[in-house]
Amino acid sequence: MQEVQETMTDSGTVSTPGTAGARAENPAALANEKPVKIKSRDVNVFYGEAHALKHVDLDIRQHEVTSLIGPSGCGKSTYLRCINRMNDVIDGCRVEGSIEMDGEDVYDPKLDVVQLRARVGMVFQKPNPFPKSIYDNIAYGPRIHGIGSTKSEMDEIVQGSLQRAGLWEEVKDRMDTPGTGLSGGQQQRLCIARAIAVNPEVILMDEPCSALDPIATAKIEELIDELRQNFTIVIVTHSMQQAARVSQRTAFFHLGILVETDETEQIFTNPKDQRTQDYITGRFG
Amino acid sequence: MGISVILLVMLGLTVAGYLLGTRQALVVTGHNPHQLHSLPSYHGLYLASWVLLPALIVMAIWLIAEPHVAELRLVANLPDGFSQRSFDEQRLLIGDIQARALGGIVSGALDPAFQAAGEAYAGTLAASRWVMIAVMLALMVGGGLIALRQVRPDMRARNRVEKTASVIMIVASTIAIMTTVGIIFSLLFETGRFFSKVPITEFLFGTQWSPQIALRADQVGSSGAFGAIPLFAGTLLITLIAMCVAVPIGLFSAIYMSEYAGKRVRASAKPVLEILAGVPTVVYGFFAALTVAPFFRNTGESIGLTVSSESALAAGIVMGIMIIPFVSSLSDDVMNAVPQSLRDGAYALGATKAETVRQVILPAALPGIVGSVLLAVSRAVGETMIVVMAAGLAANLTANPLEAVTTVTVQIVTLLVGDQEFDSAKTLAAFALGLTLFFVTLCLNVIALNVVRKYREKYD
């Protein structure tokens, strides 16, 4: 556990590009291109007989926001859930191909999924705070990973996570009230704070704003932009404006196929594929 | 003519009324049902209810009133000497006369005057029956004709039928509620009579239970004692043992079924567990008395313990097995009601399955689990057959599960089994025990249902 924590601190604080592993994997990286954090090759996902995700090759770069867009049922959430192996809990779901994080195979049978999920946090579509106090919601992750053994350390982690999620000022006087009593936007920021409390390297967000009003959405987007300094973020979104606003890189999925991936600006101004062009101009989806 | 024949005739006439109403609705519109406000079948139902309901109501009132009216006439016919007799003698004599007139068993020879009155009485009853049939036929035909004349295209038969149906439903539910209220009042009334013979403090706080009444003053053991504490303690002990079996097994199997088992295992395991609830309690009873209790006694003897052959342990454990499905099935349901998003949230933070269950699912489902346990307790407290067969009759005040104890339900059964006089403290004690039991289980059920309901609102 100590070891994990150290690597987390490393990647969490280093803001200049590149850990050694990632650089070795990606020798062709240009000077302005950040190193690859997660490398997927020929990823296929099956739900029973249905082939949900087909031959996906995708690189996700460190300290960038990568957005996954595409019409409903195109496989973007499925891909997201492959990264922290949340598909494991779904009956009849089978993942093929390789997903590597810092050169380590995520689907290596020797890899402990608990430690993987400590390194890859996740925020869901609908805010899902536990029916516990705000404090316990944040402290839940650190407790199960044995981080923050003393009360004061835990207080620090909780306060720090809430501050980074921009929620501290709003809730500092009612840490003992249930997390389910907050407003929708606050609940979602609580869930983000809960995810960053275990100091992950990657944060996956599955349509984090789809249940929120525009003002709460703006706050979350602002927060995502700040979090980019310390975390690698992958966000699934239905809103192309949101993808354009928050992400540096965009991947367009259609019918389980990764159609196109490029810098966000490129995708929205000069898409190479006709399907991408049709989707972003609103011809389908 | 018997009542069943009358009912058959009524049924036939009602069906005829329905068909007639349906046909009439078509006839008045010249076979063009679009002109009707209501469908023809509603006109049929309307006519049928006019045929059936007034006659049915009159018949019910008639059958209730008939014996009383006939008896009043009988008493009026009796010779003058009758009214000088005591009330009990009067009742006895009337009983004899009625029995003679209707062909029952008579206690002795009857005075010719009474004999004559009896014959008049039988004549009254027979005449009354024929009058009733005549009145009912008249009502059915009359009601049918009234309704038949009302069949017009603009008649709102549908609304009236709906109204009648709702009244019938109100009457049905009122009967159910009034029966419950009647049971409660009967319990209260008889309990009041008991407490007029035995002080309530002795019943609630006495530690001696030996419910017998002396026939003679010098009889051995003539002093009855009605302290119910040993019964409450015995019930509590057996319930406690039952819960010690049912709560862990039920809860763990619920956790397994809702969190660990695959869909197919769950689909087959849950009904199998619920079969346990469908086994008749008398089967559990002889299982406890013939298999479990001797096993405990023999095992106890072999390690040098004195185990009663009707130990609280045996009855409690078998009862616990019986109520496992109450705990497991309800707990399984409430754990399934915990949203999947909470599980996802915990898994995504790196929680293992056991951590998720312990720290997220169980706290979220706790109110529902508490509710299911309380329902199981109230079931255990009121359970009768297992304890009648497997628990003892001796009212020992003990906390030792290896000894025989008795429960409230067992004592109610033994107090009322056999020939009893129904105004002695002994039999009336059963009502007091019944009321106490009713009160306890009612409270437990109310609390349990409230807890469960509160929980349900949480995720809606």
Side-chain angles (χ1 to χ4, degrees), chain A residues 179-279:
Chain A
T180 43
L182 298 172
S183 74
Q186 288 173 325
Q187 285 189 14
Q188 194 61 299
R189 278 181 282 151
L190 181 70
C191 292
I192 294 176
R194 185 175 72 185
I196 59 185
V198 288
N199 212 352
E201 298 158 42
V202 181
I203 301 176
L204 310 175
M205 298 188 176
D206 192 353
E207 298 180 40
C209 301
S210 65
L212 304 183
D213 64 77
I215 293 170
T217 302
K219 277 195 177 151
I220 302 267
E221 286 179 3
E222 210 175 294
L223 175 62
I224 291 171
D225 205 49
E226 285 168 25
L227 291 175
R228 175 162 69 91
Q229 308 300 322
N230 298 315
F231 304 97
T232 304
I233 294 172
V234 187
I235 178 172
V236 167
T237 176
H238 264 296
S239 152
M240 280 172 281
Q241 291 87 340
Q242 185 172 60
R245 282 193 298 263
V246 300
S247 70
Q248 285 73 52
R249 204 164 278 277
T250 297
F252 172 63
F253 285 76
H254 183 46
L255 299 175
I257 297 163
L258 174 60
V259 175
E260 188 174 350
T261 172
D262 208 333
E263 283 171 20
T264 299
E265 219 179 294
Q266 278 295 315
I267 289 268
F268 282 101
T269 55
N270 192 15
K272 295 187 190 71
D273 196 287
Q274 185 60 38
R275 286 169 292 182
T276 317
Q277 170 87 36
D278 290 350
Y279 182 68

Side-chain angles (χ1 to χ4, degrees), chain A residues 8-182:
Chain A
M8 282 191 310
T9 338
D10 278 352
S11 54
T13 50
V14 173
S15 57
T16 47
T19 58
R23 199 176 355 233
E25 289 294 317
N26 192 10
L30 298 172
N32 64 342
E33 283 212 333
K34 295 189 166 150
V36 173
K37 181 75 181 170
I38 297 164
K39 193 172 91 172
S40 318
R41 288 296 175 265
D42 197 26
V43 174
N44 288 284
V45 179
F46 303 86
Y47 291 122
E49 291 300 301
H51 199 171
L53 208 56
K54 298 165 187 166
H55 313 289
V56 171
D57 300 327
L58 181 62
D59 290 342
I60 288 161
R61 288 164 199 279
Q62 195 162 35
H63 296 171
E64 267 190 3
V65 178
T66 306
S67 60
L68 313 180
I69 61 169
S72 296
C74 67
K76 52 196 192 303
S77 286
T78 300
Y79 173 74
L80 194 75
R81 291 167 68 94
C82 286
I83 300 175
N84 66 344
R85 290 181 55 175
M86 283 298 281
N87 286 331
D88 288 12
V89 295
I90 297 173
D91 278 344
C93 179
R94 191 155 48 88
V95 180
E96 288 172 1
S98 90
I99 298 178
E100 289 179 359
M101 184 161 82
D102 294 337
E104 279 178 77
D105 185 2
V106 166
Y107 280 85
D108 186 342
K110 276 178 286 183
L111 178 129
D112 183 1
V113 73
V114 167
Q115 298 205 352
L116 171 72
R117 288 179 189 155
R119 294 170 63 190
V120 184
M122 188 161 189
V123 176
F124 294 86
Q125 182 170 0
K126 222 179 122 218
N128 58 350
F130 300 131
K132 300 169 182 282
S133 71
I134 293 173
Y135 186 96
D136 286 338
N137 260 287
I138 308 292
Y140 183 78
R143 273 184 194 142
I144 57 175
H145 294 294
I147 309 168
S149 44
T150 67
K151 176 87 175 81
S152 62
E153 269 175 39
M154 188 59 86
D155 287 348
E156 229 167 86
I157 292 173
V158 170
Q159 184 177 349
S161 311
L162 284 170
Q163 277 168 341
R164 284 158 92 180
L167 194 61
W168 173 248
E169 288 303 320
E170 292 161 58
V171 301
K172 64 180 175 188
D173 298 323
R174 46 172 174 154
M175 298 295 284
D176 294 330
T177 59
T180 43
L182 298 172

Side-chain angles (χ1 to χ4, degrees), chain B residues 153-437:
Chain B
D154 62 343
M155 212 275 284
R156 304 193 161 213
R158 172 161 45 82
N159 306 30
R160 295 190 188 184
V161 168
E162 295 284 340
K163 185 111 188 175
T164 314
S166 73
V167 169
I168 290 173
M169 280 178 247
I170 290 171
V171 169
S173 52
T174 311
I175 289 173
I177 293 169
M178 292 315 287
T179 312
T180 316
V181 173
I183 290 171
I184 294 172
F185 272 99
S186 137
L187 275 177
L188 280 174
F189 180 67
E190 301 293 336
T191 308
R193 282 175 66 191
F194 172 69
F195 286 137
S196 69
K197 293 175 196 263
V198 176
I200 187 167
T201 45
E202 188 199 328
F203 176 74
L204 286 180
F205 303 112
T207 55
Q208 279 297 320
W209 177 263
S210 75
Q212 64 256 9
I213 296 300
L215 295 173
R216 307 183 309 272
D218 57 341
Q219 205 175 346
V220 178
S222 61
S223 58
F226 291 94
I229 289 281
L231 310 190
F232 297 146
T235 307
L236 200 69
L237 180 64
I238 289 185
T239 306
L240 203 69
I241 295 168
M243 296 323 286
C244 285
V245 174
V247 170
I249 297 182
L251 205 53
F252 281 128
S253 57
I255 292 172
Y256 172 73
M257 279 191 295
S258 86
E259 302 301 319
Y260 290 86
K263 258 193 205 117
R264 239 182 308 159
V265 177
R266 184 168 190 270
S268 51
K270 203 175 173 191
V272 170
L273 248 181
E274 276 163 7
I275 287 176
L276 274 182
V279 176
T281 53
V282 67
V283 175
Y284 282 111
F286 65 69
F287 177 61
L290 301 181
T291 312
V292 180
F295 170 76
F296 281 134
R297 194 189 54 218
N298 295 341
T299 317
E301 269 171 8
S302 67
I303 56 170
L305 285 171
T306 321
V307 183
S308 158
S309 53
E310 291 177 323
S311 61
L313 192 63
I317 284 180
V318 173
M319 193 192 281
I321 291 169
M322 184 196 78
I323 55 180
I324 284 173
F326 289 83
V327 179
S328 72
S329 200
L330 256 173
S331 303
D332 177 45
D333 288 344
V334 292
M335 280 193 269
N336 269 318
V338 174
Q340 180 63 31
S341 67
L342 286 185
R343 289 186 188 93
D344 284 346
Y347 292 145
L349 283 169
T352 61
K353 208 152 200 171
E355 283 168 340
T356 308
V357 169
R358 210 171 58 237
Q359 295 159 354
V360 177
I361 312 284
L362 283 184
L366 195 63
I369 292 170
V370 170
S372 76
V373 170
L374 286 180
L375 281 180
V377 170
S378 86
R379 180 70 208 259
V381 168
E383 169 53 38
T384 308
M385 213 58 222
I386 293 175
V387 280
V388 165
M389 295 171 84
L393 290 175
N396 293 328
L397 187 54
T398 175
N400 182 356
L402 303 179
E403 277 182 49
V405 296
T406 190
T407 71
V408 175
T409 48
V410 170
Q411 287 306 316
I412 292 177
V413 170
T414 49
L415 286 175
L416 296 182
V417 165
D419 287 341
Q420 306 287 352
E421 37 177 345
F422 269 83
D423 52 357
S424 74
K426 185 180 169 185
T427 42
L428 289 175
F431 288 99
L433 289 175
L435 184 70
T436 319
L437 204 60

